[in-house]
Amino acid sequence: MRPIHALTSLRGVAAWWVVLYHFREFFPAGTPWAIQAFTAKGYLAVDLFFELSGFVIALNYASRMETFRLGDSIRFLLLRLARIYPLHLFMMLVFLANPIALKFFSTLGTVDHRYDPAYYVMSLFLVQNWGLTDDIRWNIPAWSISTEWFSYLVFPILTPLLVPAYRRRVLVVGGAILLLVLLAVLTAANGGELGGEIPRLGLMRCLIEFQTGVLLCHFTTLCPARGPWRSGIAAGLALALFAAYAMLPVPDYAVMPAGFLCLIYALTDENNPLARALRVPVLERLGDISYSTYLVHYFVKDWVKFLIVGPDTPLLAILGTYVLVTGVLSVVLYRLVERPGQQAVQALLRSRPLPGSGASTQPGPR
């Protein structure tokens, strides 16, 4: 499918929201309160990622998977695995340096529970956040990759079953509302915020938000966000929900997932002012490499703290090193690991069509 440039840029902005969230403790004194407050909510970028992922997956694949065919389903899963696994595997191998460094070069000489061997094995199979553990370990952000993979496994099964619902606006809207209510109830009953209780709630959080993104894609097909009225109202509603969360004592689960859906819908109109503002080459590039940014930044954080952080190290130097190294490694990993791995599997699938597939070639989404 033709990429929606504003959504690519949005993905890049969201990735760096997470990056700064995980390093906010090293913001220099005097950092404006608004910046500190914004970065403190960076965990919400994951919710945006889940909804955006469901939207993009449905945009690229839903029409071709309305009838279940084993070959198409396997092909879809292989393409998604090619998208997420090569870099994930590479980073898991790189993360082995952490316990080695702690064991032989740290002052304590001990390895803590974060580097649990059983969790490492589960991570290799992308099942570490399927309710099997009570904590998140090793490459901390990779918990969401595990839940995304589960959503991919469900997508080829769920899509043919819901085709009749996807063709009626009232059912699409009603389904999205029910899912958002379910998410709110689950979150309120377990921790009270979207970023809490990840080992227990992370999988359901992803499944629900991924499916709301799928429903949004079908709604956009039935009711495109063309013209100033639809996209303008959606953008205004998104900004109103974000402002309500910033200024009023409302929980994140009550407004932010709905706000993100409105934002994504508005940005599908390329003439929307927000969409035009995001169509900046630098932001699009950040979106292209956002997966590498997401998976590498916590490793950078670990090593910046290990090598640089000290009682006399200026906070601005620490933060600047973190941002610079994360940016450079994002580009390197995208070019040398992420894209080559994806292209190799895509080339293999093009050369060897799977039995039972409805098409010989299917391009994977970006």
Side-chain angles (χ1 to χ4, degrees):
M1 301 291 292
R2 184 173 62 88
I4 301 173
H5 298 288
L7 295 184
T8 301
S9 297
L10 182 65
R11 192 168 65 238
V13 172
W16 278 94
W17 193 10
V18 176
V19 169
L20 295 176
Y21 167 73
H22 281 141
F23 220 69
R24 65 195 185 281
E25 64 194 275
F26 294 103
F27 278 17
T31 300
W33 174 85
I35 294 177
Q36 295 185 51
F38 177 73
T39 54
K41 300 300 181 180
Y43 65 88
L44 292 171
V46 177
D47 302 278
L48 175 56
F49 278 133
F50 289 154
E51 293 181 347
L52 190 55
S53 178
F55 180 90
V56 173
I57 293 300
L59 185 67
N60 281 272
Y61 290 104
S63 63
R64 283 174 278 177
M65 303 185 75
E66 292 183 352
T67 301
F68 181 82
R69 287 187 291 264
L70 182 61
D72 283 343
S73 299
I74 294 174
R75 186 182 189 86
F76 164 76
L77 293 174
L78 288 175
L79 285 170
R80 298 318 302 161
L81 196 63
R83 177 70 177 88
I84 65 175
Y85 197 73
L87 182 61
H88 170 68
L89 176 61
F90 180 83
M91 288 309 305
M92 289 306 300
L93 295 175
V94 169
F95 259 92
L96 290 173
N98 284 21
I100 294 173
L102 290 173
K103 178 66 176 178
F104 295 104
F105 302 106
S106 68
T107 54
L108 296 177
T110 58
V111 179
D112 61 31
H113 72 286
R114 178 181 160 192
Y115 300 103
D116 173 47
Y119 193 97
Y120 187 89
V121 174
M122 285 187 281
S123 297
L124 294 178
F125 289 94
L126 290 173
V127 299
Q128 72 269 29
N129 213 84
W130 289 12
L132 305 174
T133 61
D134 58 1
D135 202 355
I136 47 177
R137 302 184 172 99
W138 288 88
N139 191 1
I140 303 300
W143 72 265
S144 62
I145 309 304
S146 167
T147 60
E148 279 266 341
W149 175 239
F150 192 92
S151 296
Y152 298 156
L153 291 172
V154 172
F155 180 76
I157 300 171
L158 201 57
T159 297
L161 297 177
L162 295 178
V163 165
Y166 290 153
R167 291 172 176 168
R168 297 186 62 186
R169 276 187 287 186
V170 64
L171 294 178
V172 170
V173 174
I177 292 173
L178 287 176
L179 286 174
L180 291 177
V181 170
L182 176 60
L183 178 64
V185 171
L186 288 174
T187 307
N190 295 274
E193 67 174 22
L194 289 168
E197 300 294 336
I198 290 175
R200 289 196 297 115
L201 294 180
L203 183 61
M204 286 302 299
R205 177 182 170 194
C206 177
L207 284 172
I208 291 172
E209 292 177 333
F210 183 94
Q211 188 58 35
T212 61
V214 172
L215 290 170
L216 176 63
C217 179
H218 289 286
F219 178 79
T220 304
T221 301
L222 298 170
C223 186
R226 297 196 186 104
W229 285 105
R230 290 178 183 174
S231 67
I233 291 173
L237 183 57
L239 294 176
L241 290 170
F242 299 154
Y245 179 59
M247 296 185 291
L248 301 175
V250 293
D252 51 17
Y253 57 78
V255 291
M256 295 304 286
F260 290 145
L261 290 175
C262 292
L263 177 62
I264 294 168
Y265 179 71
L267 294 180
T268 60
D269 176 14
E270 61 181 13
N271 294 316
N272 183 277
L274 282 176
R276 290 200 301 268
L278 285 170
R279 282 204 309 272
V280 179
V282 172
L283 292 181
E284 287 190 51
R285 184 58 175 164
L286 290 179
D288 288 336
I289 64 174
S290 59
Y291 183 55
S292 291
T293 302
Y294 187 72
L295 281 194
V296 78
H297 80 272
Y298 217 90
F299 180 77
V300 176
K301 174 184 177 179
D302 288 337
W303 280 87
V304 166
K305 293 176 71 173
F306 190 63
L307 297 175
I308 296 177
V309 173
D312 299 322
T313 310
L315 293 178
L316 187 59
I318 297 172
L319 181 63
T321 302
Y322 173 59
V323 170
L324 178 61
V325 174
T326 297
V328 170
L329 288 182
S330 298
V331 174
V332 171
L333 291 175
Y334 176 78
R335 291 181 176 179
L336 300 184
V337 180
E338 181 184 343
R339 287 296 293 160
Q342 185 180 9
Q343 290 167 349
V345 175
Q346 289 176 341
L348 180 63
L349 290 176
R350 283 195 296 268
S351 64
R352 298 184 180 182
L354 293 170
S357 175
S360 60
T361 58
Q362 291 183 18
R366 296 179 66 181

